[in-house]
Amino acid sequence: SPLLHKPTSWQEVQNRVLDPRASRAIFKSHFFRDGPDCTVDDVLSGKVTVDIDPSQLERWLEEEMLDVYLIPLLSREFCDE
């Protein structure tokens, strides 16, 4: 079995791969709101660039200290695999 299983659906990306805050920021952006016109593989291979609304990013960032930010991207479960 491969070291990491490549996700095959957007639902799997949302529920297994991404941190919940990242998932909200990404999937509430205009790019995904009406359903993406691309596959997970299109994004992972670099064929498509995902645009995230800046207003969604503010809720995603955590300020660790003055001008130092944390962006939680991957879920703990995914990292523990």
Side-chain angles (χ1 to χ4, degrees):
S1 110
L3 182 59
L4 291 176
H5 162 75
K6 184 167 78 170
T8 57
S9 71
W10 291 118
Q11 184 175 8
E12 186 179 3
V13 171
Q14 285 181 283
N15 298 333
R16 185 180 71 85
V17 177
L18 294 176
D19 178 274
R21 293 162 287 188
S23 184
R24 279 191 299 275
I26 293 168
F27 288 95
K28 285 188 175 184
S29 291
H30 293 292
F31 185 87
F32 284 101
R33 222 174 277 158
D34 297 324
D37 291 335
C38 59
T39 66
V40 173
D41 197 49
D42 289 340
V43 172
L44 293 177
S45 68
K47 292 178 186 173
V48 175
T49 301
V50 176
D51 292 319
I52 300 172
D53 301 341
S55 64
Q56 298 296 331
L57 292 177
E58 291 174 12
R59 292 181 226 145
W60 185 8
L61 297 174
E62 293 180 13
E63 190 169 16
E64 291 287 303
M65 63 178 95
L66 185 63
D67 294 331
V68 177
Y69 294 91
L70 170 70
I71 303 173
L73 179 61
L74 301 174
S75 71
R76 177 152 320 274
E77 295 80 16
F78 181 78
C79 292
D80 288 343
E81 284 185 13

